[in-house]
C-alpha cells in the first residue's frame, strides 16, 4: 500500500482563523481524502505555531497567560476544522512536549556539528511591539506595524549556516524538478539562492515566550527551526530513535503552503534536513492568496471572511467546492459573494442538483425506482478506468479547479444528453427507451459523486445513497477506482431524498442576499 504524508502550515495562534487558513486546510484535506479513496495509507497533519512575542502580546492584551490564551485560539481552529469536515490525522501544537524536546535536540545537534554558531545580530527593534525588523522593512525609519520609532540593537544570537548549503540546494532543485511547485514559482527560489544566502539568525535573548536553548537558556529558539520542525516532530522523529510513524511517512509527499512562506519551506527547511542527514520532502507547493471583493483582507478594513458564516449560508460542501473551483490552485484569487452565489446556482443547484433530482423523480414515477436495466454507455464508458486514471493524475498535480472542470464537464454532457433524449417525453411515449437513458444519466451521476467526494464529502455521500448504493462511498471507492466499473447491481433501486442544493438568491439583486455577510 502506498503511503502519503501531506501537511498544512502550522498557523500562528495569535488570532482566530479566516478564509485564507481554511483554504490551505481544505485543499490539503481534498488531496488527503482522494488518496484515501484510492486506498493509500494517508497521514494528514495540521496544527498551530504558538511561540513568539506576537502571541505573548496578544495574550497580555486580553489579560491572559499565553497558555490560557492559546487554549482559546486553538479551540477556534479545532472547531473550524470539525465544521469544515477536515480529516486530519494529527494536530500539532508547538508548545507540546513532543515538539519542544525534539526542537531542543535538533538545535544542540546542529550546534555541535557547526551548522549553528554563536554570533551577533544587528537589526531594528520595536520595543513596545517586541518585534525585530530588517532595515528594508522600516517605513520612514519607523516600525511598519505601529509607526513608532525603532531602536538599533546589536545582540548575541545563534545563526544557521545557510551559506554553506547554496550549492547543495541548487543541485537538489535541479535533480528534483518536482520539488518546487507550481513550476512557475520555482525560478523565484532558484534566483534567491543563486543570489547568495546569508546565515539565518535562529535565536533571541529578548523573546521569552519560546523554546529555551538547552546549552544556553538565555536564548530561545527563534521562529523557523521551531516552526518547520513540526513536520517531523509530529511523526515522532527523535534523534536517538525515530518512531514508527516517521519511518513510515517521512519524507513528506507534499508541504502545502501559502506563497509568502514558500521561501522558508524551499530554502531553510531543506537546509535543516540536509544538516540532520534526513531525506527532503518530495514537494513544496505554494498556492496564491485571496483578496476579498478586490481588496486585501485586513482587520482594519473589516473585510475578513469568516468561513463559519459562509458555511452557514451556503453549506460546508459548497464552501469547499467554491474555494477550489474559483481559482486555479497556485494563482491568486478574489473572493466575492456574487461569485459564490453565481457558481453555487449555476453549477451546484442547476447543473448537478437538478440533474439528480430530475433523474430520480422520473425513475421513481415510471420505473418504481429501479436502476436495473442494461444501458448503452454513452456518457460513461462501461469501464471508466481511463477517466479515473486521468482524474487521478489531475488531482496528483493538485490541479483542483481542473479536476472540478472535468467533473462538471461530465455533468454538463449528462444534461445535454437529457435535453437531446428528453426522457420526460419518452416516458409518455416509449417507456422501454426511456429507462436506459435515465439509468445512463444515473451512471454519470454515480461517477460524479465518486470524483467529487473529496471536495464535498457529505453531499456526495447523500447523492450516493439516493442512487441506491448501500455501501458507504468511501468504503466502496478503492475497489471501484481500481476496477473502473461504474454501474448498478441487479435489483438496485434509488432512494430519492430532498434536493441537494436549494437555489440561492444572488446578492445585490432586489430582496435577496444570504442571511448574513461575512464579518
Ligand atoms: N506560522 C507560520 C507558518 C509556519 S509553517 C512551518 C504562518 N502562519 S500564518 O497563520 O500566518 O498562516 C499562514 C498561512 O495561512 C499561509 O501560508 C496560507 O496558507 C494561509 N493564508 C493566510 N492568509 C491567506 C490569504 N489571504 N489567502 C490564502 N491563504 C492565506 O505563516
Amino acid at each position: 500500500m502506498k503511503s502519503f504524508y501531506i501537511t498544512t502550515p502550522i498557523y500562528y495562534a495569535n488570532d482566530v482563523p479566516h478564509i485564507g487558513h481554511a483554504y490551505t486546510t481544505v485543499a490539503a484535506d481534498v488531496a488527503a481524502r482522494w488518496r484515501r479513496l484510492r486506498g493509500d495509507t494517508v497521514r494528514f497533519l495540521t496544527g498551530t505555531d504558538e511561540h513568539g512575542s506576537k502571541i505573548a502580546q496578544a495574550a497580555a492584551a486580553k489579560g491572559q497567560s499565553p497558555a490560557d490564551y492559546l487554549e482559546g485560539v486553538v479551540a477556534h481552529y479545532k472547531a473550524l476544522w470539525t465544521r469544515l469536515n477536515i480529516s486530519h490525522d494529527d494536530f500539532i501544537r508547538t508548545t507540546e512536549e513532543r515538539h519542544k524536546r525534539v526542537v531542543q535536540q535538533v538545535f544542540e545537534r546542529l550546534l555541535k556539528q557547526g551548522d549553528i554558531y554563536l554570533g551577533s545580530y544587528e537589526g531594528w527593534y520595536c520595543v513596545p511591539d517586541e518585534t525585530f525588523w530588517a532595515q528594508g522593512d522600516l517605513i520612514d525609519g519607523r516600525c511598519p506595524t505601529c509607526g513608532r520609532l525603532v531602536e538599533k540593537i546589536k545582540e548575541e544570537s545563534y545563526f544557521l549556516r545557510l551559506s554553506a548549503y547554496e550549492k547543495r540546494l541548487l543541485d537538489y532543485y535541479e535533480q528534483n524538478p518536482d520539488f518546487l511547485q507550481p513550476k512557475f514559482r520555482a525560478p523565484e527560489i532558484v534566483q534567491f539562492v543563486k543570489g547568495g544566502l546569508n546565515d539565518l539568525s535562529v535565536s533571541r535573548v529578548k523573546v521569552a515566550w519560546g523554546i529555551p536553548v538547552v546549552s544556553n537558556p538565555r536564548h530561545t529558539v527563534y521562529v523557523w527551526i521551531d516552526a518547520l520542525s513540526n513536520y517531523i516532530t509530529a511523526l515522532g522523529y527523535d534523534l536517538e530513535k525515530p518512531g514508527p510513524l516517521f519511518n513510515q511517512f517521512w519524507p513528506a509527499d507534499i508541504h502545502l503552503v501559502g506563497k509568502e512562506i514558500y521561501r522558508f519551506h524551499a530554502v531553510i527547511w531543506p537546509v535543516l534536513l540536509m544538516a540532520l542527514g534526513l531525506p527532503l520532502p518530495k514537494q513544496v507547493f505554494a498556492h496564491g492568496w485571496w483578496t476579498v471583493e478586490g481588496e486585501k483582507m485586513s482587520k482594519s478594513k473589516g473585510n475578513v471572511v469568516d468561513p463559519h458564516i459562509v458555511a452557514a449560508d451556503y453549506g460546508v460542501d459548497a464552501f469547499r467546492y467554491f474555494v477550489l473551483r474559483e481559482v486555479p490552485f497556485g494563482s491568486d484569487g478574489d473572493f466575492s459573494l456574487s461569485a459564490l452565489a453565481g457558481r453555487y446556482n449555476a453549477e451546484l443547484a442547476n447543473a448537478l442538483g437538478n440533474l439528480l433530482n430530475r433523474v430520480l423523480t422520473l425513475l421513481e414515477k415510471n420505473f418504481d425506482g429501479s436502476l436495473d436495466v442494461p444501458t448503452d454507455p454513452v456518457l460513461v464508458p462501461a469501464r471508466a478506468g481511463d477517466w479515473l486514471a486521468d482524474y487521478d493524475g489531475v488531482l496528483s498535480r493538485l490541479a483542483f479547479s481542473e479536476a472540478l472542470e472535468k467533473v462538471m464537464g461530465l455533468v454538463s454532457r449528462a444534461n445535454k444528453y437529457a435535453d437531446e433524449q428528453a426522457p420526460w417525453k419518452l416516458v409518455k411515449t416509449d417507456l422501454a427507451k426511456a429507462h436506459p437513458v435515465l439509468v445512463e444519466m444515473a451512471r454519470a451521476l454515480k461517477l460524479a459523486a465518486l470524483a467529487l467526494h473529496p471536495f464535498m464529502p457529505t453531499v456526495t455521500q447523500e447523492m450516493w445513497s439516493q442512487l441506491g448504493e448501500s455501501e458507504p462511498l468511501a468504503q466502496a471507492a478503492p475497489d471501484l477506482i481500481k476496477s473502473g466499473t461504474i454501474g448498478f447491481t441487479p435489483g438496485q433501486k434509488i432512494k430519492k431524498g430532498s434536493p441537494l442544493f436549494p437555489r440561492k438568491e444572488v446578492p445585490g439583486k432586489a430582496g435577496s442576499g444570504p442571511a448574513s455577510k461575512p464579518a
Side-chain angles (χ1 to χ4, degrees):
M1 228 183 253
K2 273 200 185 156
S3 66
F4 179 74
Y5 180 35
I6 185 164
T7 65
T8 72
I10 45 170
Y11 303 107
Y12 282 129
N14 60 342
D15 208 347
V16 297
H18 57 59
I19 186 177
H21 310 110
Y23 181 50
T24 319
T25 310
V26 166
D29 188 59
V30 170
R33 281 177 183 272
W34 176 250
R35 291 299 182 125
R36 288 195 202 101
L37 282 191
R38 277 182 16 172
D40 296 352
T41 307
V42 172
R43 190 92 192 153
F44 168 21
L45 175 71
T46 189
T48 39
D49 193 350
E50 305 191 0
H51 290 124
S53 37
K54 281 259 172 329
I55 283 167
Q57 284 160 25
K62 292 236 156 135
Q64 286 181 305
S65 69
D68 286 347
Y69 177 77
L70 286 167
E71 286 306 319
V73 176
V74 169
H76 264 98
Y77 268 96
K78 289 189 170 168
L80 182 61
W81 300 158
T82 303
R83 178 77 191 278
L84 295 182
N85 224 336
I86 303 300
S87 64
H88 52 290
D89 300 288
D90 196 0
F91 186 107
I92 184 144
R93 304 181 51 180
T94 55
T95 48
E96 286 172 316
E97 210 36 53
R98 60 171 171 163
H99 178 74
K100 280 158 71 174
R101 191 173 49 79
V102 181
V103 167
Q104 289 182 324
Q105 278 184 354
V106 164
F107 199 98
E108 290 306 308
R109 155 93 178 262
L110 300 187
L111 190 59
K112 210 162 142 200
Q113 69 190 34
D115 281 304
I116 287 179
Y117 63 90
L118 190 60
S120 66
Y121 164 87
E122 244 189 51
W124 297 93
Y125 186 63
C126 175
V127 181
D129 272 3
E130 296 175 34
T131 309
F132 297 91
W133 299 106
Q135 177 81 45
D137 296 328
L138 303 180
I139 298 175
D140 299 331
R142 289 167 179 268
C143 171
T145 48
C146 74
R148 283 175 284 209
L149 280 174
V150 288
E151 269 178 30
K152 184 155 201 184
I153 55 145
K154 184 171 180 177
E155 63 177 29
E156 197 180 84
S157 169
Y158 287 98
F159 284 84
L160 177 67
R161 217 180 281 282
L162 291 184
S163 53
Y165 285 86
E166 280 166 26
K167 172 135 189 6
R168 281 181 67 185
L169 275 173
L170 291 170
D171 288 348
Y172 188 82
Y173 302 151
E174 202 174 309
Q175 285 153 19
N176 299 274
D178 290 336
F179 178 66
L180 298 172
Q181 291 293 336
K183 282 215 167 15
F184 76 86
R185 291 197 193 278
E188 148 202 342
I189 299 293
V190 175
Q191 284 319 314
F192 175 71
V193 176
K194 280 191 175 153
L197 295 175
N198 293 325
D199 292 345
L200 177 78
S201 166
V202 291
S203 79
R204 285 289 184 272
V205 285
K206 282 203 165 69
V207 180
W209 184 246
I211 301 177
V213 172
V214 176
S215 54
N216 188 355
R218 238 167 49 81
H219 288 253
T220 54
V221 180
Y222 186 65
V223 188
W224 290 105
I225 293 189
D226 177 0
L228 290 162
S229 302
N230 90 86
Y231 302 129
I232 52 175
T233 62
L235 290 181
Y237 174 71
D238 186 297
L239 280 172
E240 269 109 64
K241 193 174 176 293
L245 280 178
F246 183 81
N247 293 330
Q248 187 180 2
F249 289 106
W250 193 258
D253 292 82
I254 301 174
H255 291 311
L256 207 58
V257 299
K259 63 181 183 180
E260 84 293 357
I261 54 171
Y262 192 32
R263 209 184 262 184
F264 305 110
H265 285 78
V267 178
I268 302 174
W269 184 222
V271 167
L272 280 172
L273 291 166
M274 284 174 185
L276 289 169
L278 294 176
L280 268 50
K282 293 178 202 153
Q283 190 178 114
V284 176
F285 191 109
H287 65 67
W289 265 45
W290 286 94
T291 49
V292 175
E293 315 272 353
E295 294 205 58
K296 198 169 178 244
M297 236 188 322
S298 82
K299 264 194 160 172
S300 52
K301 283 197 195 115
N303 65 349
V304 177
V305 177
D306 180 348
H308 278 293
I309 295 178
V310 182
D313 287 340
Y314 286 86
V316 167
D317 283 313
F319 172 76
R320 293 171 56 112
Y321 175 88
F322 176 75
V323 290
L324 294 172
R325 173 73 179 89
E326 181 70 359
V327 181
F329 201 59
S331 307
D332 291 336
D334 186 54
F335 182 90
S336 73
L337 285 178
S338 55
L340 171 60
R343 274 202 196 278
Y344 176 92
N345 283 332
E347 296 173 17
L348 297 179
N350 291 356
L352 183 63
N354 273 352
L355 180 68
L356 180 73
N357 205 37
R358 279 201 288 178
V359 170
L360 297 185
T361 306
L362 288 171
L363 281 169
E364 191 175 52
K365 279 201 180 136
N366 301 283
F367 304 97
D368 192 26
S370 171
L371 289 159
D372 189 2
V373 67
T375 71
D376 186 13
V378 276
L379 289 171
V380 178
R383 291 177 47 80
D386 288 349
W387 193 98
L388 283 162
D390 181 61
Y391 190 69
D392 180 49
V394 175
L395 278 182
S396 301
R397 289 189 279 114
L398 306 187
F400 299 115
S401 61
E402 198 182 319
L404 291 172
E405 266 166 36
K406 188 172 160 74
V407 188
M408 293 323 277
L410 172 70
V411 169
S412 69
R413 280 201 302 285
N415 275 310
K416 192 160 166 270
Y417 178 69
D419 290 343
E420 286 159 9
Q421 302 290 324
W424 47 90
K425 282 189 195 150
L426 276 181
V427 290
K428 290 183 193 138
T429 55
D430 190 345
L431 273 180
K433 220 170 149 195
H435 201 190
V437 167
L438 290 168
V439 175
E440 182 57 12
M441 287 159 64
R443 284 183 67 240
L445 284 161
K446 182 173 173 180
L447 179 58
L450 172 68
L452 289 172
H453 185 63
F455 295 90
M456 301 192 284
T458 310
V459 174
T460 49
Q461 175 55 51
E462 181 58 26
M463 278 175 79
W464 194 255
S465 307
Q466 293 198 14
L467 288 167
E469 297 291 331
S470 49
E471 190 183 9
L473 193 164
Q475 257 170 48
D479 283 346
L480 218 57
I481 292 173
K482 261 176 219 114
S483 73
T485 312
I486 304 292
F488 301 108
T489 49
Q492 186 165 339
K493 282 193 173 184
I494 60 137
K495 288 199 192 75
K496 192 166 173 294
S498 39
L500 300 181
F501 300 103
R503 263 189 81 84
K504 299 275 175 203
E505 295 299 323
V506 177
K509 295 208 172 148
S512 67
S516 50
K517 280 195 165 178

